[in-house]
């Protein structure tokens, strides 16, 4: 408050305070709240198998509901596969539990093992993994596996609006597949490679650029594809660009070219059985959506 007419009074402001000064102002209550939030955001990977380090030759990771539904429809069944692990996590967008009995509309992250060949593992991750939790996910999942002889296949989806091209995205026929691979992956890919200057974000590859698919430089954060590049693990990402964000038959079936790959063609279910499972998924999804109409 001014003490005389015309006095210039400087209003209190936090401008100019450096981070060290702000850090010193943190109260014990603030620190306790921060610790509790950090603890709550810790990811837990619960394995049901007894091995300390899983021997894995092939690891298939489906990220997102449509990619997970593709594996459920065309690969997974209760006779040939067994659940061996689950991820528990909490963030502002989702909360998963240790339950392995899940619905297609649930948020979950489960791990399966092929009974006939225990070195083949599969992961369905339909839940949102926040940016600050992605490194935890990688360290705890890949930290449980022997990396020697490992090959990784990643399936994911993203909006077609994210696809960068000189043509108008309105003229693109979606959904469509693009591949991005590490330099160690030598097998034939099942679709065209992702062109420059496209990037892939979030858990599949953080900000993995198509420019770095065949080079040694790797300046980006390290979710799955980036992690594999750093560790010299052969890996390929199949990204489905779609204009539908919910469970969708056309988007799920856009992954079908992968069934001709060396890995998946030996794991594919009978076509009639796949159709039944796919219809079941879509029926469950429609019933869930109708609750909110």
């Amino acid at each position: 408050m001014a003490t005389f007419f015309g006095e210039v009074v400087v209003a209190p402001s936090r401008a100019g305070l450096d981070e060290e000064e702000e850090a010193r102002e943190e109260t014990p209550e603030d620190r306790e709240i921060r610790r509790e939030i950090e603890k709550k955001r810790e990811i837990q990977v619960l394995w049901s198998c007894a091995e300390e380090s899983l021997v894995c030759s092939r690891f298939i990771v489906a990220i997102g509901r449509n990619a997970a539904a593709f594996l459920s429809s065309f690969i997974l069944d209760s006779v040939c596969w067994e659940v061996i692990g689950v991820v528990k996590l909490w963030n502002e967008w989702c909360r998963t539990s240790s339950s392995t009995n899940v619905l297609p509309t649930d948020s979950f992250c489960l791990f399966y093992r092929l009974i006939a060949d225990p070195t083949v593992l599969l992961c369905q991750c339909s839940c949102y993994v926040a940016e600050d939790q992605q490194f935890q996910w990688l360290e705890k999942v890949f930290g449980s596996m022997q990396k020697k002889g490992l090959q990784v296949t990643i399936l994911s989806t993203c909006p077609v609006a994210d696809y960068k091209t000189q043509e108008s995205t309105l003229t693109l026929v979606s959904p469509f597949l693009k591949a991005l691979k590490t330099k160690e992956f030598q097998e034939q890919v099942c679709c065209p490679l992702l062109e420059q200057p496209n990037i892939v974000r979030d858990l599949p590859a953080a900000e993995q650029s198509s420019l770095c698919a065949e080079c040694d430089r790797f300046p980006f954060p390290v979710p799955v594809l980036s992690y594999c590049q750093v560790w010299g693990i052969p890996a390929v990402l199949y990204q489905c660009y779609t204009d539908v964000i919910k469970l969708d038959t056309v988007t799920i079936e856009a992954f079908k070219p992968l069934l001709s790959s060396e890995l998946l063609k030996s794991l594919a279910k009978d076509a009639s059985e796949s159709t039944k499972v796919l219809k079941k998924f879509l029926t469950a999804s429609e019933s869930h959506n109708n609750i909110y109409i």
Side-chain angles (χ1 to χ4, degrees):
M1 178 180 293
T3 57
F4 60 88
F5 181 77
E7 180 183 6
V8 177
V9 178
V10 179
S13 172
R14 295 180 60 83
L17 291 178
D18 58 27
E19 293 181 359
E20 291 183 0
E21 289 176 321
E22 291 185 356
R24 285 197 295 269
E25 293 178 8
E26 187 178 45
T27 66
E29 291 80 7
D30 293 335
R31 288 193 293 271
E32 182 64 25
I33 292 171
R34 179 168 50 80
R35 282 194 295 265
E36 287 298 320
I37 293 175
E38 289 175 353
K39 184 177 179 180
K40 196 172 184 179
R41 293 178 72 88
E42 286 183 5
I43 287 179
Q44 293 180 305
V45 182
L46 308 174
W47 300 101
S48 60
C49 48
E51 298 96 324
E52 290 186 3
S53 183
L54 296 167
V55 178
C56 183
S57 61
R58 297 291 186 272
F59 185 35
I60 307 165
V61 186
I63 300 171
R65 284 197 168 92
N66 282 298
F70 170 76
L71 292 186
S72 292
S73 302
F74 293 93
I75 303 295
L76 280 171
D77 62 47
S78 58
V79 177
C80 299
W81 297 83
E82 60 179 351
V83 179
I84 62 164
V86 61
V87 171
K88 283 184 65 177
L89 64 83
W90 176 92
N91 57 48
E92 58 273 19
W93 289 102
C94 77
R95 179 184 302 173
T96 66
S97 68
S98 57
S99 174
T100 58
N101 297 316
V102 295
L103 297 173
T105 52
D106 292 340
S107 292
F108 62 90
C109 186
L110 297 177
F111 298 91
Y112 302 82
R113 179 164 59 186
L114 185 64
I115 296 174
D117 183 359
T119 66
V120 178
L121 302 183
L122 185 151
C123 171
Q124 286 181 305
C125 185
S126 71
C127 61
Y128 173 73
V129 182
E131 186 175 347
D132 64 308
Q133 296 175 315
Q134 292 173 6
F135 188 75
Q136 289 185 58
W137 192 98
L138 289 165
E139 286 291 289
K140 294 185 178 182
V141 172
F142 282 94
S144 302
M145 300 177 185
Q146 294 183 15
K147 297 180 179 65
K148 185 178 180 180
L150 174 63
Q151 181 172 303
V152 179
T153 301
I154 310 148
L155 284 63
S156 183
T157 60
C158 77
V160 71
D162 288 350
Y163 182 67
K164 294 178 175 60
T165 176
Q166 293 181 350
E167 303 174 13
S168 170
T169 55
L170 297 176
T171 63
L172 294 173
V173 179
S174 64
F176 58 91
L177 279 178
K178 293 290 181 178
L180 186 60
K181 61 192 181 77
T182 64
K183 64 185 182 66
E184 288 81 8
F185 188 87
Q186 301 299 324
E187 294 182 10
Q188 184 71 29
V189 295
C190 302
C191 65
L193 291 172
L194 186 63
E195 306 91 343
Q196 301 176 25
N198 285 284
I199 61 175
V200 181
R201 295 185 176 89
D202 299 322
L203 187 58
E207 285 195 5
Q208 171 65 54
S209 168
S210 57
L211 179 62
C212 287
E214 302 291 340
C215 68
D216 292 324
R217 292 176 298 165
F218 216 78
F220 300 106
V222 287
V224 188
L225 191 66
S226 305
Y227 184 95
C228 292
Q229 176 79 7
V230 170
W231 282 91
I233 299 170
V236 58
L237 164 67
Y238 290 104
Q239 182 89 308
C240 178
Y241 288 89
T242 179
D243 53 6
V244 181
I245 59 173
K246 63 180 182 179
L247 273 175
D248 170 63
T249 307
V250 180
T251 302
I252 294 170
E253 291 185 335
F255 288 105
K256 287 179 73 173
L258 275 60
L259 297 176
S260 63
S261 67
E262 184 177 343
L263 172 61
L264 294 185
K265 65 183 178 183
S266 62
L267 303 176
K269 295 191 293 191
D270 178 77
S272 60
E273 180 65 23
S274 298
T275 303
K276 291 179 183 178
V277 175
L278 184 55
K279 288 181 178 179
K280 180 181 176 182
F281 265 88
L282 295 173
T283 301
S285 177
E286 289 173 2
S287 299
H288 180 268
N289 291 335
N290 288 340
I291 295 175
Y292 301 99
I293 296 178

